[in-house]
């Protein structure tokens, strides 16, 4: 018998005589003359209907059990399904105790409920849909950069580089212990990475266009709906670019390409979120009848940080954090700016010099001193991407590092400006925030495989 995945069986154009399908039982319905099963192997949101003689029913053939079914793939008489499997043999590979199994047949469990079972929630329809979407979005990101001539770089996860200003740092357990003894495993303090940006800058000096896509870590002591200790970051660096517009264009093209890929390859999975998980108004800007990802940015708005602060000061509402020039924009500010501009993507450019890290390019303006930085704000989420032109001028960079007392730590970074330095820039996009945006999910912990503090923590 030819082994088929459920997705392949559902999409088959012609019947087949000898077919073998493996998966888990999503429903069992026994009638006097016929036995109906629906089995799923994770390859599709839709399950494959199996029609069998009641004599094939077994005591341990229950919801959640793992089975192998052999038989004939035939045209289904029902309009809702193209093919169905007429079973000749049903073998229960792994039984499931339905009384203790926390997921129940034909129940739509809330996300809050399945979050209690991080080791089992991937068996639910919602998390199955999410993980297929994550997989296609990941492939879409790699495809976008490869088609545009970028070289993929694996940046370090354990590093002594704190990418100053990017976030709180996790020390490895041995480093934390040894810091009190004034010794270090790597002879210098080491941390879990918060960004691959500075490493990418090294590579951009040889390969022009580079990107990385991997885990990053923030030790912010927050269990809010917006924070993760471990998340995935897409980062890119472009050499020979002197304009923020170039950076903004790549941000826009990346979003449009990946979102189009997800909507075309996972339409039913995305629909599940928009229909049952997310309020319709939150995602209309992505999937509305009169809108699509390609058209989304046609009405995008670009404002300076100074203009943003003035808009916030004139807002009719009271903010928890009072907007002042020189202070960072908070989530409440970002969401208001998006609303003020008509619920479209908003690019905020030219942030205060003292607010941003040392590597951002000095605009040499005044009296309000700014750097060439940009944040992309989107409805429902706030900041989705952040980037800047990097300071390629050696005297400017030396002066700033000296004032910050970082010259010795970043001597290698200064070397990059001595040996063939070129104008360059880059950006980063939080992958989970991107998913949160296109799916309309309120809690960012519901777009990761495992819901506790990070991907790798089961308990």
């Amino acid at each position: 018998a030819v082994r088929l995945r459920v997705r392949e069986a559902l999409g088959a154009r012609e019947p087949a005589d000898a077919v073998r399908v493996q998966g888990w039982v999503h429903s069992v319905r026994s009638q006097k003359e016929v036995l109906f099963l629906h089995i799923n192997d994770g390859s599709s949101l839709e399950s494959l209907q199996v029609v069998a003689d009641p004599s094939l029913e077994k005591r341990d053939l229950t919801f959640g059990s793992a089975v192998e079914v052999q038989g004939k793939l035939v045209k289904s008489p029902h309009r809702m399904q193209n093919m169905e499997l007429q079973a000749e043999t049903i073998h229960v590979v792994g039984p499931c105790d339905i009384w203790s199994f926390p997921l129940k047949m034909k129940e739509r469990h809330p996300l809050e409920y399945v979050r209690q079972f991080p080791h089992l929630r991937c068996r639910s329809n919602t998390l199955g849909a999410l993980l297929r979407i994550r997989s296609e979005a990941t492939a879409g990101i790699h495809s976008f950069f490869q088609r545009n001539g970028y070289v993929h770089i694996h940046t370090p996860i354990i590093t002594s580089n704190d990418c100053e200003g990017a976030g709180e740092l996790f020390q490895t357990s041995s480093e934390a212990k040894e810091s009190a003894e004034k010794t270090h495993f790597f002879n210098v303090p080491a941390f879990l990475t918060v960004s691959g940006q500075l490493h990418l800058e090294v590579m951009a000096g040889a390969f022009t266009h580079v990107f990385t896509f991997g885990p990053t870590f923030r030790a912010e002591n927050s269990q809010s709906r917006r924070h993760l200790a471990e998340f995935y970051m897409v980062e890119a660096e472009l050499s020979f670019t002197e304009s923020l517009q170039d950076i903004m264009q790549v941000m826009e093209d990346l979003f449009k390409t990946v979102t189009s890929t997800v909507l075309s390859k996972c339409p039913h999975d995305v629909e599940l979120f928009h229909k049952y998980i997310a309020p319709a108004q939150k995602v209309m800007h992505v999937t509305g009848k009169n809108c699509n990802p390609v058209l989304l940015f046609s009405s995008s708005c670009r404002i300076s940080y100074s203009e943003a602060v003035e808009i916030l000061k004139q807002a009719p509402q009271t903010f928890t954090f009072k907007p002042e020039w020189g202070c960072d924009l908070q989530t409440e500010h970002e969401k208001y700016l998006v609303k003020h501009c008509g619920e479209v993507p908003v690019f905020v450019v030219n942030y205060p010099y003292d607010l941003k890290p040392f590597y951002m390019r000095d605009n040499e303006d005044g009296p309000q001193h700014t750097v060439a930085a940009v944040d992309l704000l989107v409805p429902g989420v706030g900041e989705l991407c952040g980037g800047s032109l990097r300071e390629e001028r050696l005297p400017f960079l030396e002066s700033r590092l000296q004032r910050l007392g970082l010259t010795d730590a970043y001597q290698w970074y200064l070397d990059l400006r001595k040996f063939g330095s070129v104008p360059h820039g880059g950006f980063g996009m939080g992958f989970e925030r991107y998913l949160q945006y296109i799916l309309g999910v309120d809690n960012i912990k519901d777009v990761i495989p495992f819901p506790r503090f990070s991907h790798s923590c089961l308990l």
Side-chain angles (χ1 to χ4, degrees):
V2 177
R3 180 185 173 186
L4 293 180
R5 300 295 301 273
V6 166
R7 185 172 185 169
E8 294 171 331
L10 291 170
R13 295 185 178 182
E14 300 294 335
D17 286 337
V19 167
R20 176 164 54 102
V21 178
Q22 298 160 325
W24 291 268
V25 176
H26 275 217
S27 71
V28 184
R29 184 161 50 94
S30 181
Q31 297 181 355
K32 186 175 181 180
E33 297 181 353
V34 66
L35 171 68
F36 291 103
L37 301 177
H38 282 91
I39 64 173
N40 196 292
D41 63 357
S43 62
S44 166
L45 178 63
E46 186 180 0
S47 296
L48 177 65
Q49 179 168 278
V50 176
V51 182
D53 188 276
S55 63
L56 295 178
E57 185 174 10
K58 298 178 174 63
R59 187 175 179 181
D60 53 0
L61 184 60
T62 62
F63 170 69
S65 60
V67 297
E68 178 177 289
V69 182
Q70 292 195 30
K72 296 179 180 180
L73 193 64
V74 299
K75 291 283 186 181
S76 175
H78 303 288
R79 288 186 306 166
M80 299 300 291
Q81 185 159 284
N82 179 44
M83 291 287 187
E84 64 184 25
L85 186 59
Q86 289 184 349
E88 296 170 353
T89 65
I90 300 175
H91 170 56
V92 177
V93 179
C96 176
D97 181 358
I98 58 172
W99 303 111
S100 59
F101 188 43
L103 304 182
K104 304 303 177 185
M105 186 167 66
K106 294 185 178 180
E107 272 194 43
R108 186 171 292 115
H109 299 291
L111 291 173
E112 292 76 11
Y113 175 78
V114 297
R115 212 180 292 145
Q116 302 173 74
F117 310 101
H119 57 306
L120 295 172
R121 72 175 195 157
C122 57
R123 301 271 292 272
S124 68
N125 282 342
T126 304
L127 267 294
L130 167 71
L131 295 175
R132 283 186 293 272
I133 291 168
R134 281 186 70 108
S135 179
E136 291 295 348
T138 298
I141 288 167
H142 281 276
S143 178
F144 168 81
F145 283 117
Q146 288 169 351
R147 283 201 311 269
N148 287 280
Y150 286 72
V151 175
H152 182 208
I153 306 296
H154 293 108
T155 54
I157 291 178
I158 299 177
T159 176
S160 60
N161 162 28
D162 69 1
C163 205
E164 185 253 350
E168 297 298 321
L169 303 167
F170 274 113
Q171 282 186 299
T172 61
S173 59
S174 61
E175 290 295 323
K177 179 180 178 181
E178 290 165 359
S179 60
E181 303 170 1
K182 306 301 181 185
T183 61
H184 299 282
F185 184 84
F186 297 103
N187 296 322
V188 293
F191 314 95
L192 296 180
T193 183
V194 295
S195 170
Q197 178 215 313
L198 298 186
H199 293 100
L200 279 185
E201 284 195 60
V202 173
M203 297 300 177
F207 300 103
T208 309
H209 289 173
V210 294
F211 82 102
T212 190
F213 183 16
T216 53
F217 307 85
R218 301 286 166 88
E220 297 174 18
N221 190 17
S222 173
Q223 299 303 318
S224 76
R225 291 170 170 262
R226 285 179 50 83
H227 287 90
L228 293 171
E230 176 187 347
F231 57 96
Y232 273 67
M233 182 79 81
V234 184
E235 298 178 272
E237 289 291 322
L238 302 75
S239 290
F240 300 100
T241 181
E242 301 181 44
S243 168
L244 269 182
Q245 182 59 44
D246 294 340
I247 308 299
M248 294 157 58
Q249 191 62 55
V250 179
M251 288 181 183
E252 178 179 333
D253 292 344
L254 174 65
F255 175 87
K256 291 191 295 189
T257 301
V258 176
T259 305
S260 294
T261 298
V262 169
L263 293 179
S264 65
K265 294 197 172 183
C266 304
H268 300 302
D269 293 317
V270 173
E271 183 184 17
L272 181 146
F273 275 88
H274 294 172
K275 190 173 181 180
Y276 298 111
I277 306 300
Q281 66 270 19
K282 277 194 173 185
V283 294
M284 190 58 67
H285 49 270
V286 175
T287 60
K289 291 181 180 178
N290 299 319
C291 190
N292 63 52
V294 177
L295 298 176
L296 179 62
F297 281 83
S298 61
S299 56
S300 63
C301 178
R302 173 175 171 164
I303 58 176
S304 70
Y305 169 88
S306 298
E307 291 171 329
V309 171
E310 288 305 311
I311 291 170
L312 294 169
K313 285 182 175 180
Q314 296 171 23
Q317 72 182 63
T318 301
F319 297 105
T320 303
F321 296 91
K322 185 179 179 181
E324 293 287 351
W325 202 96
C327 296
D328 210 353
L329 298 179
Q330 303 296 320
T331 302
E332 60 177 344
H333 302 149
E334 294 168 349
K335 290 184 176 180
Y336 179 83
L337 290 170
V338 170
K339 181 180 178 182
H340 175 84
C341 293
E343 296 291 348
V344 297
V346 178
F347 290 101
V348 181
V349 301
N350 299 332
Y351 280 76
Y353 178 89
D354 292 327
L355 191 61
K356 293 296 184 180
F358 67 86
Y359 49 76
M360 295 193 176
R361 196 176 199 274
D362 188 346
N363 281 331
E364 298 182 86
D365 52 358
Q368 294 177 319
H369 197 179
T370 65
V371 291
V374 56
D375 284 345
L376 171 59
L377 315 181
V378 294
V381 171
E383 182 188 343
L384 178 64
C385 300
S388 75
L389 296 180
R390 314 310 189 193
E391 185 57 83
E392 86 283 5
R393 299 164 295 183
L394 182 60
F396 284 78
L397 194 57
E398 284 179 325
S399 175
R400 191 162 192 191
L401 287 173
Q402 187 174 13
R403 288 197 304 273
L404 295 170
L406 295 172
T407 301
D408 291 341
Y410 287 94
Q411 190 59 53
W412 65 269
Y413 194 69
L414 291 172
D415 282 349
L416 299 178
R417 273 59 179 176
K418 297 176 183 177
F419 310 120
S421 178
V422 300
H424 62 287
F427 71 94
M429 179 181 78
F431 186 50
E432 281 75 17
R433 280 199 185 176
Y434 165 76
L435 294 170
Q436 194 180 11
Y437 172 48
I438 67 166
L439 298 178
V441 175
D442 183 51
N443 191 332
I444 198 169
K445 294 176 177 61
D446 289 324
V447 294
I448 60 175
F450 299 107
R452 300 293 173 89
F453 313 106
S454 71
H455 294 2
S456 54
C457 286
L458 278 175
L459 301 174

